[in-house]
Amino acid sequence: MTLRNRAVVAPMCQYSARHGVPNDWHLVHLGRFALGGFGLVMVEATGVSPEGRISYADTGIWNDAQRDAFARIAAFLKSQGTTPAIQIAHAGRKASTPVGWRGKFNETDAEKPAVAFEHWQPVGPSAIPHSSSPDFQVPVALDKKGIQKVVDDFAAAFKRADQAGFEVAEIHAAHGYLINQFLSTTSNQRTDEYGGSRENRMRLLLEIAEAVRPIWPASKPLWTRISVVDGKDGWTVEDSVALVPELKARGVDLIDCTTGGFDGTSVKPGAHYQVPMAAALRKAGLPTAAVGLIQDALDAEQVLQDGEADLIMLARGALEDPNWAEHAQHALTKSEEAYKLWPIQAAARIRDKDRVLKLRGFAEA
Ligand SMILES: Cc1cc2nc3c(=O)[nH]c(=O)nc-3n(C[C@H](O)[C@H](O)[C@H](O)COP(=O)(O)O)c2cc1C
């Protein structure tokens, strides 16, 4: 698959859906990044099941109504030259938590029906809560049947994602959500074949990859987002390096490299702080995406030129500047070609403005 460039919008929960169905907010939020020239735009963590949502306001892809609503969004992204992608997720013990931008359960009784409020019992690998905060419940430890349902739900979600027209889909195995909870010893204290040794803790993720790969067309890349370290030594870079060939063997095409997601973790953020992890996993044998406080276009280009990652992902930088990819293109090339990344409705007009004001390539003329 060829993307129009290597600038990617990272998945970003909007907590703005009702019953898991994406709406005009999602179309415009994601659509502006397509107009902004990004090569690929990834839809937020989208639940494989109602109980797999982080909050009641997450998007979901467990029914046809959700699939059909996503089809409109995927088609629009594609019509603008952007590759439509989706992150498929299960929150595990971090499910049924407050809407991110609310910070707590402060919905009034009058508001609850309007926002389709729900609160439910989360599941996890072991009956250990994410933190002592009352926002997090003690999960019910999944039994074998429950684990099989999770695998089946991922497979069904990937089928619907394909039908909706997404061209890339990502298994969300990061940020302390269900699959990550199985990977890390801090949350997984099972004594069956899904707990204990690293091989056992990887089992759920590998079973999910095995289940989705035959359903997700061979022509469509399958990505996996992992927390390369959990920040608590329950899952380390060494573990991630060992995971790469296992994922590769099961047809995963790219690792999206992030960190953390566990209570009280210690990975210190700073510019490009996760790039070294993307570089380490790239050496382990799969293409990688780097994410985390990447802002400057020239620095981003350097990451690619240095072979540290194959794709550059932005979340907050894209929120701040939805036209980041177009601005990056101008920063990287003074050629007239750079204007071609703007939507046709805008390109010539922006060029005219730059010519009159002697900006960009016209500054030297
Ligand atoms: C508003 C918002 C929502 C996010 N939602 C998700 C998500 O749905 N799935 C995910 O894996 N990461 C999510 N993240 C993390 C981002 O994808 C990204 O990894 C992180 O913000 C670091 O990149 P940045 O420094 O460019 O923002 C979210 C981040 C933000 C700011």
Side-chain angles (χ1 to χ4, degrees):
M1 176 174 289
T2 305
L3 308 183
R4 67 174 158 181
N5 59 54
R6 292 170 187 268
V8 168
V9 175
M12 281 184 273
C13 286
Q14 298 298 293
Y15 305 109
S16 300
R18 292 180 77 247
H19 306 296
V21 182
N23 53 46
D24 286 356
W25 170 263
H26 302 89
L27 175 71
V28 176
H29 157 70
L30 296 160
R32 64 187 181 147
F33 304 128
L35 302 184
F38 283 90
L40 180 146
V41 173
M42 185 170 288
V43 170
E44 68 191 74
T46 294
V48 295
S49 58
E51 67 277 14
R53 291 171 297 171
I54 303 165
S55 81
Y56 63 82
D58 289 22
T59 52
I61 191 152
W62 66 83
N63 67 37
D64 292 350
Q66 295 157 348
R67 175 199 63 195
D68 296 347
F70 272 127
R72 176 175 175 232
I73 294 172
F76 180 76
L77 297 178
K78 213 170 158 182
S79 76
Q80 299 306 309
T82 297
T83 298
I86 185 166
Q87 185 184 54
I88 311 273
H90 192 304
R93 67 181 186 171
K94 287 171 79 177
S96 200
T97 54
V99 160
W101 39 261
R102 283 182 186 270
K104 56 182 174 182
F105 289 116
N106 57 8
E107 297 82 355
T108 62
D109 283 344
E111 212 179 351
K112 281 181 178 172
V115 298
F117 181 87
E118 287 175 73
H119 192 240
W120 62 92
Q121 168 67 59
V123 297
S126 305
I128 306 167
H130 169 71
S131 84
S132 55
S133 154
D135 291 342
F136 296 94
Q137 303 171 59
V138 179
V140 168
L142 285 165
D143 59 15
K144 294 272 173 57
K145 217 171 127 216
I147 290 176
Q148 189 55 48
K149 178 185 180 303
V150 169
V151 174
D152 294 345
D153 286 346
F154 267 89
F158 270 76
K159 186 167 192 185
R160 287 201 174 88
D162 176 38
Q163 291 167 343
F166 288 106
E167 297 191 345
V168 169
E170 171 172 277
I171 300 169
H172 192 357
H175 294 165
Y177 295 111
L178 183 69
I179 299 172
N180 203 177
Q181 290 157 26
F182 271 81
L183 292 173
S184 176
T185 54
T186 62
S187 38
N188 181 348
Q189 293 180 6
R190 298 177 73 95
T191 52
D192 64 1
E193 69 266 37
Y194 291 93
S197 67
R198 177 167 72 200
E199 190 191 347
N200 282 357
R201 285 178 281 119
M202 294 193 313
R203 193 177 306 280
L204 174 65
L205 171 56
L206 299 181
E207 284 182 358
I208 288 171
E210 275 167 19
V212 305
R213 189 65 274 193
I215 284 163
W216 187 243
S219 59
K220 295 188 176 184
L222 171 63
W223 297 4
T224 301
R225 176 168 260 202
I226 64 168
S227 283
V228 179
V229 297
D230 62 9
K232 295 197 127 180
D233 290 334
W235 183 264
T236 63
V237 178
E238 191 198 331
D239 292 325
S240 292
V241 166
L243 177 62
V244 170
E246 299 296 335
L247 288 173
K248 190 175 180 175
R250 287 159 180 86
V252 169
D253 299 290
L254 180 138
I255 310 283
D256 172 1
C257 302
T258 179
T259 60
F262 289 81
D263 189 40
T265 51
S266 59
V267 183
K268 195 168 175 281
H272 289 210
Y273 70 115
Q274 293 173 150
V275 170
M277 317 231 183
L281 295 207
R282 195 166 188 263
K283 280 207 191 97
L286 273 177
T288 56
V291 69
L293 295 170
I294 303 174
Q295 179 110 351
D296 181 79
L298 299 177
D299 292 345
E301 178 67 12
Q302 202 57 49
V303 169
L304 298 172
Q305 295 300 336
D306 291 346
E308 291 180 299
D310 300 271
L311 296 173
I312 298 294
M313 275 188 147
L314 280 85
R316 291 164 294 183
L319 290 181
E320 183 183 337
D321 177 8
N323 298 332
W324 187 89
E326 279 138 359
H327 295 146
Q329 182 87 333
H330 284 294
L332 290 165
T333 168
K334 302 287 174 240
S335 132
E336 294 266 322
E337 285 292 304
Y339 290 97
K340 288 193 178 157
L341 193 55
W342 293 96
I344 197 142
Q345 294 88 340
R349 302 305 188 182
I350 291 168
R351 184 185 170 282
D352 283 351
K353 166 188 75 65
D354 287 354
R355 184 174 50 78
V356 174
L357 293 176
K358 295 198 173 12
L359 297 174
R360 296 182 171 137
F362 296 101
E364 291 102 53

